[in-house]
Amino acid sequence: AVVLPDSPTRILLSHDGGNTWRESVVEGSDVGYHLGRLWTDMHYADGFISLNEDGTGALVLATGVTMSQQDARCFLTEDGETWREIAPDTEERLVVTGVGYSSAGVLTVGHIYYVDSGPTLRYTDDEGATWHTAEVYLPAEYAQYHYTPRTIVFDGQDGVCSVTALCDGAERTLRLTTDDGGYTWTLDP
């Protein structure tokens, strides 16, 4: 899948390794709020998409970052072609860094925030009615790191989240894993 930053946002989907493509339009994505103003020709800085083999999935469109935060809109699909908007995570005004959608219907969004060392993974399992911070279990020796969650990939309820970890100028890539659809994550040794 490819997210095209047009207004409205378009999605290109291929089910045969890129030989053929279908296009879908994210209806309503051309109108949205940014910096407290309603825009009627909305273009997004980032588009994060996660699709499962059965066609279910999620899309998060995010505006540019202003004062270490951004506006984001969340959409779900049952078929990869038609999209419906759900309530975004408005409690935490963070910068989106990754998105994953498990077969359990859990949308996980990776975030960074300048005062938090992370990794912050927020999820909803009720289409955005409520958002929660996922439990992330890290060994004590990793407490001094600052984390940025990146790509989140699910295969059923098993998931992997690539995380950039920074400590004293040294950068490492770590993997967090889940086997419960995204509610809890642990460091993969």
Side-chain angles (χ1 to χ4, degrees):
V2 177
V3 180
L4 299 176
D6 298 331
S7 184
T9 300
R10 295 181 303 136
I11 308 296
L12 296 178
L13 298 167
S14 178
H15 294 284
D16 59 9
N19 291 322
T20 60
W21 294 86
R22 291 184 325 215
E23 178 181 306
S24 67
V25 175
V26 183
E27 297 296 334
S29 63
D30 56 336
V31 177
Y33 283 92
H34 179 53
L35 300 173
R37 177 179 161 212
L38 180 65
W39 298 81
T40 57
D41 186 26
M42 189 74 170
H43 287 80
Y44 297 91
D46 292 305
F48 300 89
I49 192 165
S50 176
L51 293 172
N52 297 313
E53 287 187 30
D54 65 359
T56 60
L59 169 70
V60 175
L61 300 174
T63 63
V65 177
T66 304
M67 297 179 65
S68 298
Q69 62 184 4
Q70 64 188 170
D71 294 310
R73 296 175 70 187
C74 302
F75 299 83
L76 296 181
T77 184
E78 299 299 321
D79 58 11
E81 294 189 30
T82 55
W83 300 87
R84 60 186 167 79
E85 190 167 6
I86 65 169
D89 183 2
T90 55
E91 181 180 320
E92 300 288 334
R93 302 278 302 179
L94 309 170
V95 177
V96 177
T97 59
V99 170
Y101 190 73
S102 75
S103 65
V106 179
L107 169 58
T108 302
V109 180
H111 294 282
I112 58 171
Y113 188 58
Y114 75 99
V115 297
D116 181 12
S117 62
T120 303
L121 297 169
R122 302 267 300 158
Y123 71 87
T124 182
D125 57 6
D126 57 11
E127 299 189 355
T130 58
W131 288 83
H132 311 277
T133 301
E135 295 291 328
V136 178
Y137 300 101
L138 295 169
E141 63 264 26
Y142 289 93
Q144 73 276 14
Y145 283 84
H146 291 271
Y147 298 94
T148 301
R150 300 289 181 189
T151 305
I152 304 168
V153 178
F154 281 97
D155 181 9
Q157 291 195 49
D158 295 330
V160 175
C161 177
S162 173
V163 177
T164 302
L166 183 64
C167 182
D168 296 328
E171 185 174 288
R172 298 177 60 187
T173 300
L174 305 174
R175 290 172 24 120
L176 298 175
T177 59
T178 183
D179 60 6
D180 62 8
Y183 296 104
T184 60
W185 297 81
T186 56
L187 182 65
D188 187 31

